[in-house]
Amino acid sequence: MSSPQPVPGHVVAAVATTAEVLAHPELDADMLAPWEQRRLTRIRVPARRDDVVAARLLLRLCASRFTGRAPDAHELVQFCPECRQDEHGRPSLRDSPRTGVSMSHAHGLVAAAAGPGAVGIDVEPATRRPGPMAVLRRVLPEAELRAAAAAQDPGPELLRAWVRREALLKAGGAVLPLLEWEDPGRGATAAVASAAPVDVLPGITAPGCR
């Protein structure tokens, strides 16, 4: 039986391991633009470089599932409004400017999302514990810190709050609905911020595969 197809108008989101993305038959590092390749040369740690490649490829796959075009048909661009420079900042698609895109990577895990309007995604290893508390107090709402402190084990609650906050920031900082979930098989905690409904791909197999 084929995997469920994304619903038109819904955000397409996915979480995967770096190894899964790099082995995907539809994806190849040659899809990255020359400026992306240049950025990779500055990353000296091979595992981190692989994570960055995988996140950018997974973004193209999610964009493909949303638009119906091939992954290599999408040209990724980035722009920072603060310093007015290209090649960093929030990503977008030159060929589809109304499609919101976002990506995340962390220690062998990657996530990406594409859909209508602003969208943000974040992923972290489920075993990670954010901190120190002085940093968390500057970033997380006080109500969420209190709720985590009241839990028997505050660590997982703080991690989920951190991931939610990162997803909102990547979506532009607006107040948006959040979808969060655990991926036990990959040991991941993830969240997506978007006003549109979100379809999380159950896997990153090619269309029509089981």
Side-chain angles (χ1 to χ4, degrees):
M1 186 174 67
S2 61
S3 299
Q5 294 299 305
V7 177
H10 287 204
V11 171
V12 177
V15 168
T17 66
T18 293
E20 286 175 318
V21 176
L22 296 182
H24 194 279
E26 289 183 89
L27 303 175
D28 189 283
D30 289 342
M31 293 179 182
L32 272 59
W35 70 266
E36 293 176 282
Q37 299 284 0
R38 287 196 302 272
R39 287 188 60 180
L40 290 174
T41 63
R42 306 171 198 161
I43 304 173
R44 301 304 181 189
V45 180
R48 178 171 172 78
R49 187 164 56 245
D50 286 348
D51 288 348
V52 173
V53 172
R56 291 172 177 275
L57 292 176
L58 187 59
L59 184 151
R60 286 167 165 85
L61 185 69
C62 288
S64 170
R65 297 294 189 265
F66 175 70
T67 65
R69 300 175 64 193
D72 61 0
H74 294 292
E75 182 182 354
L76 179 65
V77 294
Q78 286 181 262
F79 177 74
C80 177
E82 294 184 3
C83 65
R84 311 297 297 177
Q85 296 292 319
D86 294 320
E87 302 186 5
H88 68 285
R90 193 181 306 169
S92 62
L93 300 177
R94 190 186 302 277
D95 54 287
S96 185
R98 294 186 180 181
T99 299
V101 293
S102 182
M103 59 186 165
S104 177
H105 55 84
H107 306 290
L109 294 170
V110 291
V119 60
I121 193 167
D122 194 56
V123 67
E124 291 286 352
T127 55
R128 186 196 169 198
R129 295 296 175 259
M133 189 55 69
V135 174
L136 296 180
R137 288 196 178 98
R138 292 198 300 267
V139 175
L140 299 179
E142 184 62 31
E144 296 196 17
L145 289 174
R146 287 198 302 269
Q152 186 173 4
D153 181 2
E157 294 296 329
L158 287 172
L159 179 63
R160 286 190 285 270
W162 178 273
V163 169
R164 290 193 299 268
R165 183 63 176 171
E166 285 292 301
L168 287 169
L169 288 173
K170 291 179 181 181
V175 178
L176 292 171
L178 282 156
L179 173 68
E180 58 182 293
W181 72 99
E182 304 288 327
D183 188 329
R186 297 180 177 90
T189 296
V192 178
S194 172
V198 178
D199 293 335
V200 179
L201 298 180
I204 58 165
T205 55
C209 293
R210 294 190 63 182

